Amino acid sequence: MTQGGKLIIFSAPSGSGKTTIVKYLLDQPELNLAFSVSATSRPRRGKEKHGINYYFMSISEFKRHIKEDDFLEWEEVYRDNFYGTLKSEVERLWAEGKNVIFDIDVVGGLRIKKKFPEQTLAVFVKPPSVDELKIRLKKRSTESEDKINMRVAKASVELATAPQFDRIIKNYDLDTALKEAHELVAEYVGAKIPDAKEE
């Protein structure tokens, strides 16, 4: 792969608020960010759109891409639920002159960091507690109790990887976490945050 702009990774257990933080950062024009859309073999949820939320693939299609070495990283997160980052996706965004931001699971995030150590900022978003995580996942009402329990069990393992990331943002209060993430990414990409007065 050709080297391009900066890579910014946000990883966290499900329900930690990383997606909210990433969406907020994408709305800050001075950061020049573009979102890396992941590929997945899981079914669509709700109003999800192909090419916007994920590249939805069948399991056989996903496995073909693995075989052809099309992924920067991939993982079977749950049985027959594959997720991955297509090399072509990152190259497309780099070609547009963008810094690429990822909303990605812990294992995938660390794999990308390992491949591009010089140009990656890896951020771990930490929830207040595993109990709080369970409450947030239940509020979403998108998954069964079994699926929620699986995610909660996985969260404990994921929390143990936090020290391997460059920075940890504690999402105890969303406004504080957003501000911290904004300042951190702005500093990393060399952008100046506009003054509130100028807006």
Side-chain angles (χ1 to χ4, degrees):
M1 277 180 72
T2 50
Q3 302 278 317
K6 300 269 175 74
L7 302 173
I8 295 115
I9 288 161
F10 276 82
S11 293
S14 257
S16 300
K18 72 178 184 309
T19 304
T20 307
I21 292 172
V22 167
K23 281 180 180 160
Y24 172 79
L25 294 173
L26 282 162
D27 286 339
Q28 312 307 317
E30 75 282 359
L31 301 177
N32 188 30
L33 297 175
F35 181 64
S36 168
V37 177
S38 296
T40 184
S41 68
R42 77 152 169 78
R44 298 180 201 209
R45 285 187 207 135
K47 293 177 180 171
E48 288 180 332
K49 289 187 173 74
H50 179 77
I52 292 174
N53 303 97
Y54 286 98
Y55 294 115
F56 292 99
M57 298 178 179
S58 65
I59 293 169
S60 58
E61 195 185 347
F62 200 102
K63 286 181 174 171
R64 180 175 59 78
H65 281 295
I66 292 172
K67 215 166 139 187
E68 291 171 5
D69 195 30
D70 292 336
F71 288 111
L72 189 54
E73 59 76 33
W74 66 271
E75 192 196 357
E76 188 174 9
V77 178
Y78 301 104
R79 188 179 157 75
D80 284 342
N81 259 12
F82 291 90
Y83 289 83
T85 303
L86 290 160
K87 292 175 181 174
S88 57
E89 174 72 357
V90 176
E91 289 186 328
R92 176 179 74 81
L93 299 173
W94 273 348
E96 291 174 12
K98 296 286 190 181
N99 297 307
V100 183
I101 191 164
F102 298 82
D103 171 352
I104 192 172
D105 86 301
V106 167
V107 176
L110 290 171
R111 280 191 188 139
I112 291 174
K113 171 78 183 163
K114 206 172 168 183
K115 281 189 183 169
F116 298 101
E118 298 303 310
Q119 63 200 104
T120 302
L121 172 70
V123 183
F124 187 94
V125 181
K126 201 172 184 182
S129 67
V130 172
D131 289 341
E132 173 64 22
L133 209 58
K134 195 165 186 177
I135 293 163
R136 289 181 189 179
L137 288 170
K138 278 186 172 168
K139 272 188 190 160
R140 277 188 192 175
S141 311
T142 54
E143 292 172 322
S144 67
E145 187 72 26
D146 277 359
K147 210 55 190 278
I148 289 171
N149 289 334
M150 269 167 71
R151 288 192 184 280
V152 170
K154 192 166 178 269
S156 306
V157 177
E158 290 173 327
L159 285 165
T161 68
Q164 296 174 52
F165 285 78
D166 299 316
R167 295 293 287 270
I168 296 170
I169 289 177
K170 293 174 180 172
N171 186 13
Y172 299 0
D173 170 73
L174 185 60
D175 288 339
T176 308
L178 292 175
K179 187 172 180 288
E180 197 180 328
H182 193 181
E183 287 169 0
L184 180 62
V185 174
E187 185 188 345
Y188 185 67
V189 301
K192 186 180 182 300
I193 297 177
D195 249 348
K197 295 184 201 92
E198 291 171 18
E199 285 174 8

